[in-house]
Amino acid sequence: MRKLLIILIFFCSLVSYGQNSNNYTVNHKSFKDLIFKNPDSALHYVKKLKIEKDATNSFFPSYYYHQNLGQYYFFVSQLDSSEHHYKKAYDISSLQGNDSLAINSNIWLANHEYFKGEMEKSLLRYEDILALSKKVDYLEGIASAYSMFASAEPDLSKKMNLYLKIDSLYTTNNIQTSLLARVKGYMAEIYLDAKGNNDLAKNYIEQCIAISKEVDYPPGEYEANRLLVKLAVQENNFDVAIQLYEQLLTQGNKIGDPTAIVVATIGLAKMHFKKKEYAKTEKYLTNVRYLIEKPQASTLAGVVHLHWAELFIALNEPKEALFHLEKARLHPDVTDRLGFKTELNRVEIKYYDLVKDYANAYRTKLAYDEQVEYLNQQENANGFILNQQLRFKEQQQQEVALLKAQYELTDMLQKAQRNFLFGIIAFTSLVALLVFVLYRNRIKVNRKLQEVDALKTDFFTNISHEFRTPLNLISAPIQEALTNTKLSNDQRNHLEIAQKSTVRLSSLVDQLLELSKIDSGNRKLRIQQGYATQLIAAWSESFSFLALQKNIAFKLQISDTDKLCWFDHNAVENIVINLLGNATKYTPERGTILLSSKIVQNNLKITIKNTGNGISTIQMKTIFNRFYQTSDHNEGIGIGLSLVKELTELHGGKINVSSDKLNWTLFDVSLCIDKKKLKNIEVIKSIEPRHSKVTTFTVSKTTQEEILPKNDLPILLIVEDNKDVRTLLHNTFKNMYYIIQASDGEEGIQIALNKIPDIIISDLMMPKKDGLELTKTLKNDERTSHIPIILLTAKAGDDNELTGIEFGADDYITKPFNQKILERKTASLVALRKKLQSRYSQEIILRPKEIAISSVDEKFLSKLQKILDNKLIDPAFNAADFSTAIHMSRMQLHRKLKALTGLSTTEFIRSQRLKLATQMLKKPGINISEVGYSVGFNNHAYFSKCFKEVYHCTPSEYIASHNTKIQ
């Protein structure tokens, strides 16, 4: 009986121990479930682990007790206690030989070093973590190490590569973790900060939310909501931002995170301020006022002071605003970080404007503009890096998707053949028919819309082209005449006025397009600082000569010529020229025109008054309507005054007209020149043109015969259907280039392929083949792909210029062109090709990517290299053999190699042989005679002579010099 009782007691103790042995798993899991939601409740399970640890003194309860208690202390910001327990957990797991648990504890120790600012120690510890994790194939350790390396990496490209590695690790293994959720958030924020990638950022935010919910990770959801707030603010969707901030505030209160509560409250204050809801702004700022009233202020205290200052500026309370501004300047969170420092300067500018301290406002504005420009440069650089990585990742995803789609398609077809082959075919046919009908109808509608748009575009383009070509032919002789030093002052003045009028007439061609831009909302004010009244005086000069011819007294009353102001030069010019043109047109002989201009209280005042028949009251109500004319006998089409009114309103101004029916008419224009009040602006800076040196040569009369240019002048091919323009271009460049000409694109292509010129200037709109076809053809032919091409065209506008560049044009110049600018641009392109030639002489081995101008050139050089690899050591290999092998005429190959390397075909072959020889001479124990024969020289003396000409030493001296360097 006693034995039976002993056995029963022993069995019960085993069962009890077995149950207790599993308690640590339950307690640890319960702790993990609660630590993010309620740390104090999670502490209850740590105490249970301690009881189990003390009772059993076994490994797992001891380890999880110290590990979880370290995590608890970390969450309640007791970092010293947290670090102590993590060290205990690390020692226990290391002694036991449990690598994965030792890695987990080591990760937390590295994080402590990071938070204490001991970055080098933390990174060294993470290198050990990565090495051990790879050794034992522990995914969580590898990903954690990559994450820390990414957070410490300043190079955005390397940082993103590390995050993409983590993403790939988890995706490949189909694992979702809290770390992956955080990484998705990090990637989303990088794309948000770079701007222009909001769709991709939103996609990563959604992934962060989904993973956080799946693994029950509240901080991940909180972080995703914070990023959604940032996205909403970027998109100026303040109502959505307010809703999200309120959710963040609720979450912060729920998990008891004081930082989250403060950030959400400040965010709500900021959003309500943007909506000008100042009472709500004050309410939320009051809720965090304790941050600036503590003896030891929070790190966010400076930010709170800054928001208070901006609020009081809006409420027109400068004393309170100044108090908070001075407090904000004392906090490093505002003064040391560039982003917050920029905000500080922005608020300071508002304060100085409020108290009318314009000197300090101006100085602060200069600093603010520099900071904004730097931040914009960083954004653009980051955006470029991210776009490059995005393209790479999209390419990978497309390849994976293609393989997957192919597999799925094969599997689907097999199943369809077995089961529902005929049904699927019938259903597919029906769907295809329906889609085809819908698609055809949509194509018809789209085609009609495109035809209408194309007709409108062609109409404006053709008008522009027809005007610009003769204008160019007028402008060029005037420019040529102005270079004559024997002109009298009167002659020069008359020619200068004519030149200015030609430029003005060219700008009138663009007025119809200008109205179209305004209607579509695409017309921005391109403002820059200048002396507006001085320019108005200059523009009026072209009318003084016309007024003199009509016997009209033209009077100017211009003041404030020394005052700088912000204005759109083109808009103001259009306004003044149109109004003066009307005044000149309707003023009778012996009449008077008075133009006055001055600056009054940040407004540019322009008044134009002319004598003669005035405008009736009825006409004054409709005079600014588009295409309205006071009489059917009037000249023009009635868009001038309409354009004036719309440009005036775009410039934040007003225009008024008054008239005495029989005596005079007066137009009074007032334009806003306050940069802060102007809307939809683009600030531009005046840039002085760079002057390049052009060497001038004397050349004999040019012909179309196939002869080489004298004095080794560059060859210029001019392709232009207008004979007068061809003559003008010939006269412009005749002393600098050997010129050949073509009258249309088709002829130009043939001449370019035969002559291989150094540069081409071509018109855009030509018969047979236009400039775009010419550019595309020549840029895709390996014989001519290296030739720079300049397109001359009357098609003004960024879209047309972009089309030309996309087809391969190197520059795009609008008619009427300035001859000096065209000369400089042509010379610069030729000089650039000379620089590329110099690269070849520095390359020991021919590298197509290093000296190629385009992908076509790269393929040509690669083909060339293959021929050299096979033929170079053959002494009989010469220029004729080379041209035959590469399928070009000797002249074409000569011109192509001359353009790319600066060498003739024979010189190029010799250069390659000598470069190969230098490589062989570096090998120990080499025989110089053998080297010469090995690289294709059948005469040792000739080899030595050529070698010395190029390298300024004999092969023997070269070997001795190389050996000395090695020693």
Side-chain angles (χ1 to χ4, degrees):
M1 187 70 178
R2 182 183 295 174
K3 289 182 179 180
L4 183 61
L5 183 60
I6 291 171
I7 292 171
L8 183 60
I9 292 171
F10 178 71
F11 176 75
C12 290
S13 66
L14 284 176
V15 172
S16 174
Y17 176 77
Q19 291 174 343
N20 288 335
S21 67
N22 290 324
N23 284 344
Y24 73 86
T25 306
V26 176
N27 291 330
H28 173 64
K29 185 177 184 307
S30 300
F31 172 84
K32 300 293 283 184
D33 291 339
L34 286 171
I35 185 61
F36 294 115
K37 302 172 184 176
N38 192 332
D40 291 335
S41 297
L43 184 61
H44 168 73
Y45 293 98
V46 176
K47 293 176 180 177
K48 283 191 172 186
L49 283 168
K50 185 177 187 307
I51 294 170
E52 188 175 356
K53 173 184 80 76
D54 293 341
T56 63
N57 198 28
S58 56
F59 167 68
F60 284 109
S62 299
Y63 172 80
Y64 283 123
Y65 164 71
H66 289 291
Q67 180 78 2
N68 292 349
L69 189 56
Q71 191 170 0
Y72 167 78
Y73 282 129
F74 183 83
F75 269 87
V76 297
S77 300
Q78 296 183 27
L79 296 183
D80 290 338
S81 298
S82 175
E83 187 174 8
H84 167 75
H85 285 284
Y86 277 125
K87 283 181 179 177
K88 284 280 188 183
Y90 177 70
D91 292 340
I92 292 170
S93 55
S94 297
L95 188 62
Q96 184 72 17
N98 191 314
D99 291 328
S100 60
L101 294 182
I103 290 170
N104 283 339
S105 300
N106 212 13
I107 287 171
W108 281 99
L109 288 172
N111 290 342
H112 276 78
E113 291 167 346
Y114 176 80
F115 284 116
K116 290 192 297 184
E118 299 172 352
M119 178 63 74
E120 291 186 7
K121 287 178 65 178
S122 177
L123 292 176
L124 287 172
R125 190 182 291 271
Y126 263 111
E127 287 178 3
D128 294 337
I129 291 169
L130 180 61
L132 181 57
S133 299
K134 286 183 175 181
K135 181 179 178 181
V136 300
D137 198 21
Y138 184 49
L139 179 62
E140 194 70 21
I142 297 171
S144 296
Y146 285 154
S147 179
M148 175 54 72
F149 295 154
S151 65
E153 177 57 59
D155 187 313
L156 186 63
S157 178
K158 294 179 181 178
K159 184 190 291 284
M160 278 298 295
N161 282 334
L162 288 166
Y163 285 144
L164 290 171
K165 276 186 179 181
I166 298 170
D167 189 4
S168 178
L169 280 173
Y170 284 122
T171 303
T172 304
N173 291 278
N174 196 24
I175 297 173
Q176 310 281 44
T177 70
S178 58
L179 176 58
L180 181 58
R182 293 199 300 276
V183 167
K184 296 287 187 181
Y186 299 151
M187 295 168 74
E189 185 149 32
I190 290 173
Y191 280 115
L192 281 176
D193 290 340
K195 295 184 180 176
N197 294 286
N198 285 2
D199 290 338
L200 188 61
K202 191 173 183 180
N203 181 38
Y204 278 118
I205 293 170
E206 290 171 353
Q207 292 180 45
C208 176
I209 293 172
I211 296 169
S212 298
K213 286 182 177 179
E214 184 174 338
V215 301
D216 195 17
Y217 182 53
E221 294 182 60
Y222 175 85
E223 178 65 11
N225 283 334
R226 184 186 67 79
L227 293 172
L228 287 173
V229 169
K230 195 169 184 178
L231 176 62
V233 172
Q234 277 193 13
E235 295 175 348
N236 293 324
N237 199 338
F238 302 130
D239 291 329
V240 171
I242 288 171
Q243 292 176 5
L244 291 167
Y245 268 129
E246 287 172 347
Q247 291 177 18
L248 288 175
L249 184 58
T250 302
Q251 289 177 339
N253 285 318
K254 185 177 179 181
I255 64 176
D257 186 345
T259 303
I261 295 169
V262 169
V263 170
T265 305
I266 294 174
L268 284 166
K270 198 173 178 181
M271 292 303 103
H272 285 296
F273 180 82
K274 287 182 180 293
K275 294 183 69 179
K276 297 184 179 180
E277 296 172 353
Y278 300 136
K280 291 183 179 179
T281 302
E282 186 172 2
K283 168 192 165 185
Y284 285 109
L285 287 177
T286 302
N287 289 346
V288 291
R289 198 175 191 112
Y290 66 90
L291 291 174
I292 60 178
E293 293 174 349
K294 287 181 177 181
Q296 293 181 337
S298 162
T299 54
L300 291 172
V303 176
V304 175
H305 276 299
L306 197 58
H307 287 305
W308 273 113
E310 191 168 19
L311 175 61
F312 282 122
I313 291 169
L315 296 175
N316 199 16
E317 297 184 26
K319 289 184 180 180
E320 292 291 333
L322 179 59
F323 169 79
H324 287 286
L325 265 179
E326 290 175 344
K327 290 289 186 182
R329 291 176 185 137
L330 299 176
H331 290 275
D333 58 314
V334 170
T335 57
D336 290 354
R337 294 178 60 187
L338 181 58
F340 284 127
K341 190 173 183 180
T342 305
E343 283 295 295
L344 174 64
N345 286 341
R346 182 181 64 79
V347 176
E348 285 177 332
I349 293 168
K350 293 172 112 179
Y351 169 75
Y352 291 135
D353 283 342
L354 179 64
V355 299
K356 302 189 184 312
D357 184 355
Y358 299 121
N360 275 325
Y362 178 73
R363 282 195 295 270
T364 309
K365 182 68 170 60
L366 291 178
Y368 173 77
D369 288 342
E370 287 181 5
Q371 293 159 2
V372 170
E373 183 178 0
Y374 174 78
L375 292 172
N376 287 339
Q377 288 173 353
Q378 291 296 103
E379 277 182 11
N380 292 337
N382 292 345
F384 174 77
I385 292 170
L386 291 174
N387 285 330
Q388 293 297 105
Q389 291 177 330
L390 179 58
R391 289 194 190 100
F392 176 71
K393 187 173 181 183
E394 284 178 348
Q395 183 180 358
Q396 287 183 321
Q397 290 174 342
Q398 288 171 358
E399 291 174 356
V400 172
L402 179 62
L403 291 173
K404 186 177 179 182
Q406 289 173 345
Y407 173 79
E408 291 177 350
L409 181 61
T410 303
D411 186 57
M412 184 180 68
L413 288 173
Q414 290 174 349
K415 291 180 181 178
Q417 290 170 354
R418 284 197 310 265
N419 301 310
F420 305 108
L421 180 61
F422 294 107
I424 290 175
I425 291 173
F427 177 74
T428 304
S429 301
L430 183 63
V431 171
L433 181 62
L434 179 62
V435 169
F436 174 74
V437 172
L438 293 174
Y439 176 75
R440 187 175 61 179
N441 290 338
R442 178 173 291 182
I443 288 294
K444 287 181 179 178
V445 173
N446 289 341
R447 188 180 294 121
K448 289 293 181 185
L449 292 173
Q450 290 171 359
E451 287 175 0
V452 173
D453 289 338
L455 284 173
K456 291 194 294 184
T457 303
D458 288 345
F459 172 73
F460 290 124
T461 301
N462 290 334
I463 286 179
S464 175
H465 187 270
E466 293 302 321
F467 276 99
R468 285 178 183 275
T469 298
L471 278 173
N472 195 51
L473 296 173
I474 295 170
S475 176
I478 294 174
Q479 292 178 32
E480 184 70 27
L482 283 170
T483 61
N484 186 353
T485 57
K486 297 180 181 180
L487 289 174
S488 67
N489 289 336
D490 287 343
Q491 288 174 329
R492 183 170 298 280
N493 288 337
H494 290 167
L495 285 171
E496 287 175 349
I497 291 171
Q499 175 63 15
K500 291 177 183 177
S501 298
T502 304
V503 174
R504 172 62 196 145
L505 187 56
S506 176
S507 70
L508 286 174
V509 175
D510 297 327
Q511 284 194 6
L512 285 171
L513 294 174
E514 185 86 343
L515 280 170
S516 177
K517 284 183 180 179
I518 294 173
D519 288 341
S520 63
N522 292 327
R523 174 61 161 91
K524 287 186 175 183
L525 279 178
R526 303 183 74 248
I527 65 170
Q528 63 183 122
Q529 269 194 313
Y531 299 98
T533 53
Q534 285 186 12
L535 282 173
I536 292 171
W539 293 329
S540 64
E541 282 188 19
S542 61
F543 290 90
S544 61
F545 182 73
L546 182 59
L548 183 64
Q549 287 183 322
K550 292 183 67 176
N551 198 19
I552 295 171
F554 190 77
K555 300 179 181 179
L556 296 178
Q557 291 180 355
I558 307 293
S559 58
D560 301 319
T561 55
D562 58 344
K563 287 187 178 180
L564 276 170
C565 59
W566 289 96
F567 64 101
D568 184 318
H569 285 207
N570 188 54
V572 176
E573 183 184 5
N574 266 310
I575 292 168
V576 172
I577 298 300
N578 268 299
L579 292 177
L580 280 177
N582 277 346
T584 307
K585 185 189 302 182
Y586 294 112
T587 301
E589 190 173 350
R590 296 182 182 177
T592 302
I593 298 175
L594 173 63
L595 167 63
S596 63
S597 179
K598 58 184 177 180
I599 296 173
V600 181
Q601 295 179 347
N602 281 331
N603 284 285
L604 174 62
K605 300 286 188 179
I606 305 168
T607 303
I608 298 175
K609 183 177 181 179
N610 67 286
T611 59
N613 291 331
I615 304 170
S616 68
T617 306
I618 296 174
Q619 289 174 336
M620 281 192 282
K621 294 179 180 178
T622 55
I623 196 170
F624 293 112
N625 291 348
R626 196 170 299 177
F627 305 116
Y628 173 79
Q629 292 179 298
T630 56
S631 170
D632 293 338
H633 302 291
N634 290 341
E635 298 177 4
I637 59 174
I639 65 167
L641 288 177
S642 174
L643 180 61
V644 167
K645 183 175 186 293
E646 295 193 37
L647 287 174
T648 300
E649 292 174 349
L650 185 68
H651 217 296
K654 295 180 181 179
I655 182 170
N656 294 307
V657 58
S658 55
S659 179
D660 184 324
K661 178 64 177 169
L662 299 176
N663 295 312
W664 52 266
T665 301
L666 183 145
F667 285 90
D668 187 16
V669 178
S670 177
L671 301 176
C672 176
I673 53 175
D674 187 343
K675 182 181 176 183
K676 297 173 186 175
K677 293 181 180 178
L678 292 173
K679 299 177 181 178
N680 195 25
I681 64 172
E682 177 185 347
V683 179
I684 60 174
K685 295 181 180 178
S686 297
I687 301 175
E688 293 296 326
R690 294 181 180 178
H691 300 283
S692 58
K693 294 182 179 179
V694 180
T695 305
T696 305
F697 298 90
T698 303
V699 66
S700 60
K701 184 178 178 181
T702 57
T703 68
Q704 294 294 104
E705 299 176 11
E706 189 173 5
I707 59 173
L708 290 176
K710 296 181 180 180
N711 298 330
D712 201 26
L713 289 178
I715 299 176
L716 167 63
L717 169 60
I718 298 171
V719 187
E720 169 64 65
D721 60 323
N722 188 300
K723 183 178 179 181
D724 293 332
V725 177
R726 285 204 309 275
T727 303
L728 170 65
L729 291 171
H730 177 274
N731 291 335
T732 301
F733 292 104
K734 63 184 180 181
N735 293 326
M736 291 169 277
Y737 297 91
Y738 176 87
I739 297 173
I740 50 182
Q741 300 178 16
S743 59
D744 59 67
E746 190 175 74
E747 183 185 2
I749 291 171
Q750 292 302 319
I751 291 176
L753 291 172
N754 290 330
K755 306 287 185 181
I756 316 295
D758 294 285
I759 189 165
I760 298 172
I761 299 176
S762 172
D763 190 16
L764 184 65
M765 300 175 69
M766 295 183 294
K768 296 185 180 179
K769 289 189 177 181
D770 62 18
L772 292 179
E773 290 183 83
L774 177 140
T775 303
K776 184 178 180 181
T777 301
L778 296 181
K779 286 294 184 179
N780 286 286
D781 192 305
E782 65 182 19
R783 292 169 290 182
T784 55
S785 57
H786 65 282
I787 303 173
I789 299 175
I790 298 175
L791 290 180
L792 298 179
T793 177
K795 286 189 174 181
D798 292 342
D799 291 340
N800 291 314
E801 183 173 353
L802 181 61
T803 301
I805 300 301
E806 287 175 348
F807 271 74
D810 296 82
D811 210 333
Y812 189 100
I813 299 178
T814 306
K815 295 179 182 178
F817 54 81
N818 183 293
Q819 290 171 287
K820 296 296 181 185
I821 292 176
L822 181 59
E823 287 176 16
R824 298 292 188 274
K825 289 193 174 186
T826 306
S828 295
L829 286 171
V830 173
L832 177 61
R833 294 315 190 262
K834 297 289 184 186
K835 289 181 181 178
L836 290 172
Q837 291 172 10
S838 68
R839 278 195 187 180
Y840 168 75
S841 63
Q842 300 169 9
E843 295 292 331
I844 295 176
I845 300 172
L846 181 63
R847 294 185 177 91
K849 288 187 178 180
E850 294 293 328
I851 63 173
I853 300 167
S854 66
S855 60
V856 177
D857 289 332
E858 187 179 334
K859 291 177 182 177
F860 167 77
L861 289 170
S862 297
K863 186 197 296 184
L864 180 147
Q865 184 62 56
K866 290 180 181 178
I867 294 171
L868 291 177
D869 290 342
N870 294 326
K871 301 286 188 179
L872 191 62
I873 61 175
D874 181 1
F877 181 67
N878 56 25
D881 297 332
F882 203 173
S883 62
T884 302
I886 208 163
H887 305 296
M888 288 186 182
S889 71
R890 290 188 63 177
M891 191 276 288
Q892 287 173 335
L893 180 59
H894 169 81
R895 295 288 300 158
K896 181 76 177 184
L897 287 175
K898 195 77 174 174
L900 289 177
T901 67
L903 302 175
S904 68
T905 308
T906 303
E907 290 169 343
F908 179 79
I909 294 172
R910 184 165 60 243
S911 170
Q912 287 294 300
R913 284 172 170 164
L914 291 173
K915 287 181 179 181
L916 181 58
T918 62
Q919 295 297 298
M920 297 179 68
L921 289 170
K922 292 178 183 178
K923 297 178 181 179
I926 194 73
N927 184 289
I928 295 175
S929 299
E930 291 177 358
V931 171
Y933 292 117
S934 298
V935 297
F937 287 87
N938 51 17
N939 185 302
H940 175 70
Y942 180 66
F943 167 64
S944 297
K945 176 178 176 293
C946 292
F947 192 98
K948 187 169 185 179
E949 286 177 355
V950 174
Y951 295 102
H952 309 293
C953 64
T954 65
S956 301
E957 291 170 344
Y958 183 88
I959 293 175
S961 172
H962 178 69
N963 291 337
T964 302
K965 289 180 181 179
I966 294 177
Q967 293 173 0

